[in-house]
């Protein structure tokens, strides 16, 4: 693909939207699971979909490094381009760090790590009294808030491009 590409390609778009939906579901499920625990146990779904995000994000990053994204619209300032690049880079980091910290934390628990009831995923060698468990637990909560804030920023930026600046930024990912 060349610099003149106008849109993200089909694989990039599919991965973006599937991963986005799973992450938004997991942010909501993670924050609501305590409040809903008498109604439904969201954790098995949360863990399985989070592990799916990890696998799909590895595919997405591999795909991304082999392909050049469409150029930013000409009207964007250097600062705006920098903010977009920094947010996207942080997203890729969080798409790996959120599932990995969750995996670390859950590995120390007594429940199996089932992928939607179809098969069990391996657990990492972590115990509840280890420093790694605490890092996983604290990290998962802290990074969750950072993720949520960045999603709000990212969606706000996408809507600003579409409705206020009226450029093709949202359309090329649609
Ligand atoms: C995209 C991936 C993920 C996102 C966005 C996400 C998000 C969250 C959020 C926002 C919370 C609430 C944090 C808090 O207030 O304590 C949470 C809790 C939790 N997550 Fe995840 N998570 C993801 C993946 C995973 C994975 C892969 C696992 C395990 C394999 C996992 C296991 C847990 C557990 C056990 C809790 C409950 C922690 C507690 O209540 O102490 N998460 N998650
Ligand atoms: C958890 C949710 C989401 C995550 C983690 C996420 C992540 C990302 C990442 C990493 C990129 C950069 C693609 C690249 O060049 O490598 C991107 C681009 C983009 N995203 Fe999202 N996204 C999410 C949700 C959304 C939503 C809800 C919208 C629309 C309202 C959206 C609109 C866009 C657009 C328009 C681009 C292209 C930006 C550009 O061309 O510079 N995203 N997203």
């Amino acid at each position: 693909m060349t610099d003149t590409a106008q849109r993200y390609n089909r694989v990039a778009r599919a991965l973006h939207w599937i991963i986005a939906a799973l992450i938004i579901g997991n942010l909501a499920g993670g924050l609501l699971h305590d409040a809903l625990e008498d109604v439904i146990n969201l954790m098995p779904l949360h863990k399985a979909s989070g592990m799916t995000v990890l696998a799909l994000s590895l595919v997405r990053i591999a795909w991304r490094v082999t392909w050049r994204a469409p150029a930013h619209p000409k009207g964007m300032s250097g600062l705006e381009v920098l903010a977009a690049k920094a947010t996207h880079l942080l997203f890729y980091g969080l798409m790996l760090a959120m599932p990995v910290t969750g995996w670390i934390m859950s590995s120390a628990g007594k429940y199996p790590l089932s992928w939607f009831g179809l098969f069990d995923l391996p657990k990492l060698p972590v115990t509840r009294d280890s420093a790694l468990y605490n890092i996983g637990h604290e990290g998962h909560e802290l990074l969750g808030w950072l993720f949520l804030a960045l999603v709000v920023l990212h969606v706000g930026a996408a809507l600003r491009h579409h409705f206020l600046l009226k450029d093709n930024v949202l359309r090329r990912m649609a």
Side-chain angles (χ1 to χ4, degrees):
M1 215 32 93
T2 67
D3 277 347
T4 56
Q6 293 296 307
R7 301 180 75 183
Y8 283 87
N9 62 34
R10 195 186 289 271
V11 175
R13 283 181 276 136
L15 286 168
H16 174 267
W17 292 113
I18 295 167
I19 293 173
L22 292 173
I23 288 175
I24 291 169
N26 256 24
L27 286 171
L31 293 172
L32 293 174
H33 84 102
D34 266 345
L36 293 178
E37 79 182 341
D38 292 338
V39 185
I40 184 175
N41 177 11
L42 289 174
M43 268 303 132
L45 187 65
H46 181 90
K47 292 176 186 176
S49 86
M51 294 304 282
T52 310
V53 168
L54 179 59
L56 291 178
S57 298
L58 291 172
V59 174
R60 179 164 174 196
I61 290 168
W63 184 260
R64 179 66 174 82
V65 294
T66 62
W67 189 78
R68 203 189 291 267
H72 292 286
K74 297 242 172 342
M76 275 174 77
S77 72
L79 200 65
E80 283 170 328
V81 172
L82 188 71
K85 284 190 174 163
T87 307
H88 296 165
L89 196 66
L90 267 171
F91 267 155
Y92 286 119
L94 288 169
M95 281 151 51
L96 302 177
M98 273 314 276
V100 168
T101 48
W103 190 5
I104 290 172
M105 176 176 36
S106 296
S107 295
K110 56 180 189 291
Y111 301 106
L113 199 51
S114 164
W115 195 76
F116 301 108
L118 294 175
F119 53 86
D120 286 352
L121 293 162
K123 285 186 163 191
L124 304 168
V126 185
T127 53
R128 284 258 165 152
D129 49 11
S130 64
L132 191 59
Y133 170 78
N134 285 324
I135 294 171
H137 196 191
E138 296 297 321
H140 201 69
E141 184 172 353
L142 225 73
L143 295 179
W145 287 112
L146 175 64
F147 216 158
L148 187 63
L150 283 180
V151 170
V152 172
L153 181 77
H154 181 68
V155 172
L159 297 179
R160 172 174 174 260
H161 277 282
H162 195 66
F163 291 110
L164 297 179
L165 305 177
K166 299 185 195 302
D167 57 26
N168 72 339
V169 165
L170 182 56
R171 268 191 307 274
R172 67 201 200 167
M173 189 51 103

